[in-house]
Amino acid sequence: MRPKVDKDLLPMKAHYFFFNAGTAPVVPFMPTLAKQLGYSNVVVGTMYAILPVIGMLAKPLCGFIADRYQRHRSLFIAAEILTAVAFFAIMFTPAIPQQLPSVTFHCHAGGANFHFCTEDQCTLNEIERDYQDKALACKLNCPAQAFMWDIICKDWNTTGLCPPPNDNADIDISATFTNLLVERNETSNEGCVFFSVPHIHAEVNGHNATMYCPSDKPYFSSICSMDCNDTYLDSKIADSPVISTTAAMGLYQFWWFFGMLIISWIGMAAVVSIGDAICFGILGERAHLYGKQRLYGSVGWGIFSILAGVLVDKMSNGVEKDYTIVFWMTAVLIGLDVVASMKLKHTQTHLSPNILKDVGQMFLSIRCLIFFIWCIFIGLGTALIWNFLFVHLETLGGCDATYMKTLQGFVMSIQCFCGELPFFFFSGWILKKIGHVNAMSMVLFGFGVRFILYSMLQDPWYVLPIELLNGVTFGLFYATMASYASIVAPPGTETTMQREREKIIPPRKTKIVNK
């Protein structure tokens, strides 16, 4: 006999697959994109501390509207569109203007050179490899003092340049620099790169000159802006300073990026919570089939997370990544999700006469209060992993980071297929055998082990077996949380309660629960 297919559930399965497939290419990479844009860890941490608060305020409101006015599908589709548009708009985040790199210019009896120092060993290695035998035609703009002009006028063998307009007039030097030398400090991570002028001939303020600084005169040195008409070298020498929280507040580029993240976060929160309520509404008395619907979400996330990681690495040049492809993937896949969601058939059979009162009474129970506190602490640990694990892996990866997005894709796939799916599949059996309280303790223990193992990592590839613990720290956690919330939710408050129990958990991924 041919298996019977429930056509009413096909749009729900398609939604879970396409929505998770659409968010998988972008959500995990947003913290690393923020770091690439130049924002400090403090700025990234601050953003991802504010985002759950925004979601906490938005979720109960959206849930109340959906339950009170019976507009579940309309809000659901609107939230999907909002999420896709906001993520796609991040691709158009304006670039932060970069100043010309600064170097130190020296003139001495043997000629002249410029140098810069950095603690970034990757930069030192790349410049030493790519510029060992390369000549650079550079222009330097250097502030000068009176004694420097005295040396220029008396010892640089130039005519028409002196006397200067004033004693503090800038010096514009055009010369060909070569003879690369890299010096590393063995007692620290800092190293310096030197380029010298081999024949000491240069053009100074439009006049030919021979740079020579006698040893019996004051040391000629100045911090200069440099332009070698070499975008790659300029970017490496510039070593863009980390943008602090105060500096970020004054950048409209930051507010565009952060604003789009806020909008996408609100959209994802609404989709996840209302989507679960719609799914239970369609299932009706067949709640035990819920896990089989959500399973497609984990499949979509696992497949497209690794695909996105591989594509980003293939389309990028070096350590700096090009994320353009992931935004297009998100737009197309969530667009397909919207089409599938339009086929949903949903009606709610119960309507609470006082939703806020029913939900509020739950907080008078000590058991429910402890449950929410447990969710808060799990949310803190989950946020640390979701927002900073990839940053930690990139730090461990060092200079050889061309594979990093592929590794991060494997991390997410193992989290889904090898960690979460087994625990979600057996979650009903586990909860029946050990109960909710013991399951909560097991989740906390899993987080402790996971963080200890992260602290011991030396090679980023060794993170892969650690991610098997995601089955305990997220799979079992989500099953316990959703199961308990569904049990205690009064009829007619399902969406509002879903939002209450999720509001401290970042809505990054849609997972499955075997109920």
Side-chain angles (χ1 to χ4, degrees), residues 102-280:
S102 295
V103 297
T104 303
F105 175 77
H106 300 278
C107 176
H108 45 81
N113 65 59
F114 74 80
H115 84 272
F116 71 94
C117 299
T118 180
E119 293 184 356
D120 188 344
Q121 296 300 314
C122 299
T123 295
L124 293 174
N125 293 340
E126 290 176 12
I127 291 180
E128 188 173 27
R129 179 193 65 207
D130 298 335
Y131 291 86
Q132 187 65 54
D133 300 315
K134 188 174 182 178
L136 296 172
C138 299
K139 297 179 180 179
L140 305 180
N141 177 262
C142 311
Q145 301 179 37
F147 80 90
M148 296 180 183
W149 275 108
D150 181 65
I151 294 175
I152 292 172
C153 293
K154 293 182 179 179
D155 301 296
W156 282 27
N157 190 27
T158 181
T159 58
L161 185 59
C162 299
N166 58 74
D167 289 341
N168 295 317
D170 288 352
I171 306 172
D172 292 319
I173 301 173
S174 299
T176 299
F177 294 84
T178 184
N179 298 337
L180 169 68
L181 174 64
V182 177
E183 293 184 355
R184 289 179 170 85
N185 190 332
E186 295 182 357
T187 60
S188 68
N189 291 327
E190 187 177 64
C192 295
V193 178
F194 293 83
F195 287 93
S196 63
V197 182
H199 303 297
I200 68 175
H201 297 297
E203 185 177 284
V204 180
N205 290 15
H207 300 274
N208 293 327
T210 301
M211 291 182 287
Y212 172 73
C213 299
S215 57
D216 59 342
K217 291 189 176 182
Y219 187 58
F220 193 111
S221 178
S222 180
I223 305 297
C224 310
S225 61
M226 183 197 73
D227 183 6
C228 294
N229 198 27
D230 188 318
T231 304
Y232 177 79
L233 180 65
D234 288 347
S235 66
K236 291 298 179 183
I237 296 180
D239 195 19
S240 302
V242 174
I243 301 172
S244 65
T245 305
T246 303
M249 296 298 105
L251 296 173
Y252 75 91
Q253 295 94 336
F254 166 79
W255 289 111
W256 174 271
F257 179 73
F258 189 31
M260 293 303 104
L261 279 181
I262 290 174
I263 295 172
S264 63
W265 199 274
I266 293 173
M268 286 191 297
V271 170
V272 170
S273 296
I274 299 178
D276 284 350
I278 290 176
C279 185
F280 278 113

Side-chain angles (χ1 to χ4, degrees), residues 35 73 98 100 153 225 263 268 330 343 359 424 431 470 478 487 491 504-505:
K35 288 283 294 179
R73 195 177 72 166
Q98 300 292 331
L100 289 175
C153 293
S225 61
I263 295 172
M268 286 191 297
T330 293
K343 305 295 183 180
V359 174
F424 280 136
L431 290 175
N470 198 57
Y478 198 97
I487 291 171
I504 41 75
I505 305 299

Side-chain angles (χ1 to χ4, degrees), residues 384-501:
L384 283 175
I385 294 172
W386 284 353
N387 299 329
F388 291 104
L389 174 59
F390 284 2
V391 175
H392 181 51
L393 294 180
E394 293 189 352
T395 301
L396 292 175
C399 302
D400 185 18
T402 55
Y403 61 84
M404 186 53 64
K405 298 306 167 186
T406 301
L407 170 60
Q408 292 169 353
F410 276 115
V411 166
M412 291 182 286
S413 291
I414 289 178
Q415 287 176 351
C416 288
F417 294 122
C418 302
E420 296 168 15
L421 286 182
F423 273 86
F424 280 136
F425 186 80
F426 292 106
S427 60
W429 179 83
I430 294 173
L431 290 175
K432 182 178 179 180
K433 289 294 183 181
I434 68 175
H436 288 82
V437 174
N438 289 329
M440 293 178 185
S441 300
M442 188 175 176
V443 171
L444 291 172
F445 178 77
F447 267 106
V449 173
R450 196 171 179 182
F451 283 127
I452 290 173
L453 293 176
Y454 284 151
S455 70
M456 299 170 62
L457 272 180
Q458 299 294 328
D459 187 329
W461 283 96
Y462 289 157
V463 75
L464 296 179
I466 299 177
E467 296 315 295
L468 294 173
L469 287 170
N470 198 57
V472 176
T473 59
F474 193 88
L476 184 59
F477 157 68
Y478 198 97
T480 304
M481 178 180 66
S483 174
Y484 193 84
S486 179
I487 291 171
V488 300
T493 68
E494 293 86 0
T495 308
T496 306
M497 188 56 197
Q498 288 291 333
R499 292 183 178 278
E500 288 293 332
R501 57 92 173 171

